[in-house]
């Protein structure tokens, strides 16, 4: 028996050596085919809904929307020892697998710009100068009767939007996750199926359209239930009338950076389909091959391939919602990619009483924007499993879809708002907006308040308040109504939620020098004991 154990151990070691001899890398390409023609005829590369969404929000259709040159991919597939795993039109890159030597030889191909190895110890070729966090912590324990979801829905006041018939109707959400078994048959999703709101899906890991097959993981089905699930008088998701695309991008059996590439592929597919919101309850930092792993300092929103892709998705007008992660009480501690990206709306977890959940990953000074953004219930959240049974699970995996569905309802109510404006309204409605921290970000949002803020900002004229000129070049003049014993606090925030100016004033006239402000859109918040008003300010 001892000899057999030794042989098994030797076999395991050899398999690990062989496995690690295989490298993963991103091959960045030099150009694309027929760019001008494609941009002049956008329906050849995007759906009409995608084009309409971009036009509605002033999002340019650019060369990043043009597919990767298929002839280049074909040539890569013929190279010795090379397996093509995924591709990204946004990055104009192809994820390949092979030995370091075989991958390095690809630099000799005329259409290869540079090669970025996932192995942190391998030198990238011709590159321009410039704890495995599984998000599910198992803890199985209109006029809606929310039943088991009442606390998680009412905590963020999305039930108030539902009463006004904002239930996600007309909003398109892509769910990027690990597995969706039985979603096509379980009763909790019958409402989606009956209303034709359960749309196409794709398994990017196994390269199949059968996204409902059991792959050893049921995580995605549970996540979907917190947005689109509905069981009469027992369970209501936060966006029961939204439409959903399901994309499997996570391979639960291993951790490899190819999953980042699958995620970016799915985000690109979502963009081409005109998706409004992406929910992603996934995160990456530590890999089976430790040479591929990131450091905490690299969780800066600009290093990981997936974070770069998430930022582009945001630039394309998609509102990307992502779990913060479950590393708050272990050695890693902080958020993982793509939750570190500035373009991502990162969601932390609280318990049923709205208190910080110790497992919820925290922000850090390494991020270029406030992380997390907000928080929602992630402790003992009600979900529906693959057997159509209501259970209670914990993890930021569930606070994220609870929030994503709520945001879909808010956006339905404010259809003319951009993704960045919607995110800012949600931040501004949150419980600790003026004192954000690394635990809950801006706090727990109030979606009804977010709607009120959005509506007030969209008004052309705010009673008794004058702010001019707008757009402003240098000096901003503000006339505030005289209110005895009612001093006004003035806050100015950029679109990432950072405070750039704050002052408490009692005089009726105020001047602010904005010459040092970067050009862009800002939110000006006027707060008194009697209430608050917000105005959108444009700095030219």
């Amino acid at each position: 028996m001892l000899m057999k154990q030794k042989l098994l151990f030797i076999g395991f070691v050899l398999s690990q050596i062989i496995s690690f001899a295989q490298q993963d890398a991103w091959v960045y390409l030099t150009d694309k085919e027929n760019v001008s023609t494609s941009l002049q005829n956008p329906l050849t590369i995007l759906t009409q809904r995608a084009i309409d969404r971009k036009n509605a929000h002033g999002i340019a259709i650019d060369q990043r929307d043009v597919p990767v040159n298929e002839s280049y991919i074909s040539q890569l597939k013929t190279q010795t020892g090379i397996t093509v795993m995924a591709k990204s039109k946004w990055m104009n890159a192809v994820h390949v697998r092979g030995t370091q030597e075989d991958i390095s030889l690809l630099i000799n191909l005329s259409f290869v710009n540079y090669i970025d190895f996932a192995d942190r110890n391998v030198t990238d070729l011709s590159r321009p100068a410039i704890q495995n966090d599984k998000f599910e912590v198992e803890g199985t324990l209109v006029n809606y009767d929310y039943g088991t979801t009442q606390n998680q829905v009412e905590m963020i006041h999305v039930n108030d939007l539902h009463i006004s018939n904002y239930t996600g109707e007309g909003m398109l959400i892509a769910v990027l996750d690990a597995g969706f078994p039985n979603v096509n048959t379980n009763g909790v999703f019958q409402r989606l199926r009956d209303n034709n709101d359960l749309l196409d899906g794709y398994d990017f890991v196994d390269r199949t359209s059968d996204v409902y097959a059991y792959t050893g993981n049921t995580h995605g089905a549970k996540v979907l239930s917190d947005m689109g699930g509905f069981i009469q008088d027992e369970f209501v998701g936060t966006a029961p009338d939204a439409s959903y695309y399901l994309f499997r991008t996570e391979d639960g059996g291993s951790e490899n950076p190819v999953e980042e590439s699958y995620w970016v592929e799915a985000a690109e597919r979502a963009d081409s389909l005109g998706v409004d919101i992406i929910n992603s309850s996934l995160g990456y930092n530590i890999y089976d091959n430790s040479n591929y792993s990131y450091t905490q300092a690299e969780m800066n929103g600009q290093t990981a391939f997936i974070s770069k892709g998430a930022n582009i998705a945001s630039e394309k007008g998609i509102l990307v919602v992502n779990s913060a992660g479950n590393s708050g009480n272990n050695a890693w501690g902080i958020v993982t990619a793509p939750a570190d990206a500035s373009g991502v709306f990162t969601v932390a977890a609280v318990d049923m009483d709205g208190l910080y959940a110790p497992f919820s990953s925290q922000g850090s000074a390494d991020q270029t924007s406030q992380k997390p953004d907000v928080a929602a219930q992630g402790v003992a959240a009600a979900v529906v499993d693959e057997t159509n049974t209501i259970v209670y699970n914990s993890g930021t995996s569930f606070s994220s879809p609870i929030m994503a569905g709520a945001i879909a309802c808010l956006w339905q109510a404010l259809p003319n708002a951009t993704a960045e404006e919607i995110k800012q309204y949600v931040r501004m409605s949150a419980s600790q907006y003026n004192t954000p921290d690394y635990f809950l970000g801006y706090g727990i949002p109030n979606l009804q308040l977010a709607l009120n803020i959005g509506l007030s900002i969209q008004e052309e004229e705010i009673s008794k308040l004058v702010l001019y000129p707008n757009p402003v070049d240098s000096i901003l003049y503000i006339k505030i109504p005289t209110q005895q014993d009612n001093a006004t606090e003035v806050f100015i925030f950029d679109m990432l939620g950072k405070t750039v100016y704050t002052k408490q004033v009692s005089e009726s006239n105020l001047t602010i020098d904005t010459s040092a402000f970067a050009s862009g859109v800002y939110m000006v918040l006027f707060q008194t004991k009697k209430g608050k008003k917000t105005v959108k300010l444009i700095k030219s």
Side-chain angles (χ1 to χ4, degrees):
M1 178 64 71
L2 181 61
M3 180 60 70
K4 182 176 180 181
Q5 289 176 336
K6 287 182 177 179
L7 289 173
L8 287 171
F9 176 74
I10 292 170
F12 172 77
V13 171
L14 288 174
S15 69
Q16 292 293 95
I17 292 173
I18 293 171
S19 173
F20 287 172
Q22 291 285 298
Q23 295 283 347
D24 281 72
W26 291 280
V27 177
Y28 288 81
L29 308 177
T30 56
D31 60 353
K32 291 183 174 181
E33 188 178 30
N34 300 325
V35 172
S36 296
T37 302
S38 296
L39 296 182
Q40 291 170 10
N41 301 277
L43 276 173
T44 63
I45 56 175
L46 298 168
T47 63
Q48 187 62 55
R49 181 187 171 100
I51 294 169
D52 292 343
R53 177 175 59 79
K54 292 175 187 294
N55 289 338
H57 300 305
I59 305 297
I61 299 172
D62 56 36
Q63 63 180 359
R64 292 178 298 184
D65 296 300
V66 178
V68 177
N69 191 321
E70 287 295 333
S71 68
Y72 293 166
I73 296 176
S74 297
Q75 292 180 65
L76 287 172
K77 288 179 177 179
T78 65
Q79 303 304 304
T80 301
I82 297 299
T83 302
V84 172
M85 304 298 296
K87 61 185 178 182
S88 167
K89 65 179 180 180
W90 288 346
M91 308 287 192
N92 197 23
V94 178
H95 189 119
V96 301
R97 185 170 293 165
T99 65
Q100 180 180 339
E101 180 181 5
D102 287 339
I103 293 174
S104 296
L105 290 174
L106 298 178
I107 199 66
N108 297 319
L109 297 174
S110 61
F111 55 84
V112 173
N113 188 13
Y114 65 94
I115 298 173
D116 185 0
F117 282 91
D119 190 330
R120 323 304 287 171
N121 297 316
V122 178
T123 302
D124 297 335
L125 301 177
S126 299
R127 182 166 185 169
I130 6 187
Q131 200 96 54
N132 193 9
D133 189 9
K134 286 307 175 183
F135 283 168
E136 182 176 353
V137 180
E138 290 290 350
T140 301
L141 316 167
V142 165
N143 185 23
Y144 293 117
D145 185 344
Y146 292 97
T148 54
T149 64
Q150 181 172 349
N151 194 77
Q152 63 205 47
V153 168
E154 293 185 350
M155 178 182 290
I156 56 175
H157 295 271
V158 70
N159 57 303
D160 294 330
L161 300 190
H162 292 173
I163 291 172
S164 299
N165 206 31
Y166 299 124
T167 55
E169 183 68 41
M171 301 302 297
L172 196 52
I173 303 175
V175 187
L176 278 56
D177 219 286
F180 303 94
N182 303 332
V183 168
N184 57 330
T185 57
N186 273 349
V188 67
F189 302 118
Q190 188 63 49
R191 179 189 178 107
L192 291 183
R193 295 193 296 270
D194 288 346
N195 295 332
N196 296 316
D197 284 329
L198 190 58
L199 306 177
D200 196 9
Y202 191 74
D203 183 336
F204 286 88
V205 179
D206 290 336
R207 299 292 170 178
T208 173
S209 58
D210 185 7
V211 75
Y212 305 119
Y214 180 68
T215 58
N217 197 303
T218 64
H219 190 260
K222 293 178 179 179
V223 166
L224 177 63
S225 72
D226 273 335
M227 290 178 281
F230 181 87
I231 300 175
Q232 185 68 49
D233 299 331
E234 296 183 46
F235 187 102
V236 182
T238 49
D241 291 325
S243 299
Y244 297 89
Y245 282 103
L246 310 181
F247 298 132
R248 179 187 174 220
T249 65
E250 162 73 11
D251 183 355
S254 63
E255 285 302 303
N256 185 282
V258 72
E259 293 165 291
E260 296 185 50
S261 298
Y262 295 150
W263 192 100
V264 174
E265 277 192 312
E268 293 174 356
R269 176 81 63 88
D271 179 59
S272 69
L273 291 167
V275 161
D276 302 300
I277 297 169
I278 285 175
N279 182 81
S280 167
S281 291
L282 302 169
Y284 300 94
N285 57 339
I286 303 299
Y287 289 114
D288 296 339
N289 183 342
S290 60
N291 292 332
Y292 292 171
S293 298
Y294 297 107
T295 65
Q296 289 171 312
E298 288 173 320
M299 293 294 100
N300 55 20
Q302 301 170 358
T303 299
F305 187 82
I306 191 173
S307 299
K308 296 174 186 176
N311 277 331
I312 295 176
S314 177
E315 292 171 14
K316 294 293 181 182
I318 298 176
L319 203 162
V320 183
V321 183
N322 207 97
S323 300
N326 297 334
S327 297
N329 53 8
N330 65 34
W332 179 266
I334 64 171
V335 300
T336 51
D340 62 330
S342 61
V344 168
F345 199 70
T346 303
V347 185
V350 295
D351 65 16
M352 295 182 69
D353 296 319
L355 302 176
Y356 169 71
F359 61 76
S360 186
S361 294
Q362 301 160 19
S364 77
D366 292 318
Q367 282 91 54
T368 58
S369 62
Q370 170 66 50
K371 296 297 174 185
D373 287 270
V374 296
Q377 185 175 337
V379 176
V383 303
V384 179
D385 68 14
E386 73 281 4
T387 68
N388 207 49
T389 302
I390 299 172
V391 297
Y392 297 90
N393 287 175
S394 296
T396 57
S397 282
F398 308 112
S399 58
S400 180
I402 288 169
M403 184 57 59
I407 286 173
C409 299
L410 176 64
W411 210 350
Q412 177 194 359
L414 298 168
N416 296 321
T418 66
E420 292 303 317
E421 289 170 338
I422 291 293
K423 288 190 285 188
Q424 185 63 3
Y425 300 157
V426 177
R427 295 186 190 108
M428 293 174 73
S429 76
S431 58
Q432 51 187 46
Y433 180 57
N434 294 328
T435 56
D437 58 34
Y438 288 152
F439 299 94
L440 303 184
Y442 293 102
I444 301 171
N446 178 328
L447 272 292
Q448 180 61 56
L449 176 58
L451 174 57
N452 294 341
I453 290 171
L455 291 173
S456 71
I457 287 176
Q458 290 180 0
E459 292 175 356
E460 291 185 6
E461 194 173 325
I462 296 179
S463 176
K464 299 182 181 179
L465 179 69
V466 179
L467 179 150
Y468 64 96
N470 190 5
V472 63
D473 181 44
S474 55
I475 302 300
L476 178 68
Y477 298 89
I478 302 175
K479 185 174 182 179
I480 302 170
T482 302
Q483 296 177 346
Q484 187 175 358
D485 298 326
N486 195 18
T488 301
E489 289 182 288
V490 180
F491 302 88
I492 302 181
F493 306 92
D494 65 18
M495 292 306 289
L496 292 178
K498 290 185 177 180
T499 304
V500 298
Y501 178 90
T502 179
K503 186 175 183 180
Q504 187 173 52
V505 295
S506 56
E507 64 268 31
S508 59
N509 293 291
L510 175 66
T511 60
I512 301 174
D513 186 358
T514 67
S515 56
F517 290 14
S519 298
V521 179
Y522 294 81
M523 298 296 175
V524 184
L525 170 65
F526 300 88
Q527 184 168 288
T528 70
K529 293 179 181 179
K530 293 184 178 180
K532 61 178 69 174
K533 286 288 186 180
T534 53
V535 182
K536 181 163 66 176
L537 173 68
I538 299 175
K539 172 65 168 64
S540 58

